[in-house]
């Protein structure tokens, strides 16, 4: 497939509530094609297969920061400080007859992954809040060893779509 299949994910974290119009500094042509998909980690639908009560921002309250639970349609408005993660997902599948279907399938899957991941990040606040860079490096090293072991064993894990 070589150059006929591309998935590129770029992230930009900004101290705002999603008001930045062109966070990724896209050119005019790309900006006109861009579709904005807002993800609300508290209120967006989560598939039953993905739902975990301990990863529900509407139920979680951080003991370290006092943040949460995230309740109501505009829960983010009174929050300070706040950060918005802007993701630019580029999907190109250049195969006649399958292009649109495959690109939409991938985009839908990415939205699901981002929703679940950012819900986890919020609900795991007390596990990472206050870590030093040295703590983070130790965690990264441990995670690398665990992932390498899983790859060797060949066990399938992570997000899977329905068969």
């Amino acid at each position: 497939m070589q150059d006929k299949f591309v998935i590129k994910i770029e992230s930009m974290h900004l101290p705002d509530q999603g008001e930045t119009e062109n966070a990724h500094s896209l050119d005019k042509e790309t900006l006109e094609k861009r579709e904005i998909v807002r993800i609300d980690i508290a209120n967006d639908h989560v598939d039953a297969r993905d739902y975990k009560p301990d990863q529900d921002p509407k139920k979680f309250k951080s003991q370290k920061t006092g943040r949460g639970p995230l309740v109501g349609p505009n829960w983010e408005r009174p929050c300070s400080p706040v950060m918005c993660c802007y993701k630019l997902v580029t999907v190109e599948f250049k195969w006649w007859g399958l292009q649109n279907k495959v690109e939409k399938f991938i985009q839908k899957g990415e939205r699901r992954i981002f929703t679940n991941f950012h819900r986890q990040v919020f609900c795991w606040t007390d596990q990472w809040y206050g870590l030093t860079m040295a703590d983070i490096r130790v965690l990264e090293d441990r995670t690398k060893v665990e992932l390498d072991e899983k790859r060797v064993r060949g066990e399938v894990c992570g997000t899977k779509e329905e068969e």
Side-chain angles (χ1 to χ4, degrees):
M1 293 186 83
Q2 294 174 329
D3 62 342
K4 294 185 185 241
F5 183 52
V6 174
I7 298 177
K8 181 170 68 169
I9 301 169
E10 300 168 77
S11 297
M12 177 73 65
H13 299 81
L14 297 176
D16 67 24
Q17 295 183 343
E19 311 87 11
T20 301
E21 181 59 31
N22 191 2
H24 291 277
S25 302
L26 303 176
D27 60 54
K28 186 178 178 181
E29 181 184 342
T30 306
L31 200 56
E32 288 172 359
K33 293 188 291 188
R34 172 195 68 179
E35 176 187 354
I36 296 174
V37 178
R38 181 176 165 78
I39 294 176
D40 181 338
I41 63 169
N43 297 307
D44 283 357
H45 171 76
V46 174
D47 288 350
R49 61 187 163 165
D50 295 327
Y51 181 78
K52 295 179 178 109
D54 64 330
Q55 295 175 11
D56 186 341
K58 288 188 275 191
K59 296 180 178 182
F60 171 78
K61 179 162 180 79
S62 169
Q63 299 303 306
K64 290 184 178 180
T65 68
R67 287 215 167 175
L70 306 182
V71 182
N74 297 309
W75 57 265
E76 74 279 4
R77 293 295 169 217
C79 294
S80 180
V82 70
M83 176 187 71
C84 182
C85 179
Y86 294 86
K87 299 227 181 253
L88 178 61
V89 179
T90 304
V91 179
E92 295 175 3
F93 186 82
K94 299 174 185 171
W95 202 310
W96 190 86
L98 293 174
Q99 183 170 350
N100 285 341
K101 186 172 184 157
V102 170
E103 288 177 357
K104 286 179 183 177
F105 176 79
I106 291 169
Q107 291 284 9
K108 182 180 175 190
E110 292 297 336
R111 185 188 200 318
R112 180 177 161 222
I113 289 168
F114 295 150
T115 300
N116 293 333
F117 173 73
H118 288 283
R119 286 169 62 91
Q120 290 170 337
V121 167
F122 179 76
C123 292
W124 294 345
T125 297
D126 291 344
Q127 295 176 38
W128 56 261
Y129 185 82
L131 292 180
T132 65
M133 283 308 295
D135 296 332
I136 293 168
R137 295 295 179 238
V138 168
L139 185 60
E140 288 174 337
D141 291 342
R142 191 174 345 137
T143 301
K144 182 189 181 315
V145 169
E146 290 172 11
L147 288 173
D148 288 344
E149 288 172 0
K150 285 183 178 185
R151 272 194 287 271
V152 169
R153 286 193 307 265
E155 74 184 63
V156 176
C157 60
T159 300
K160 297 181 277 187
E161 284 302 315
E162 299 286 336
E163 304 274 328

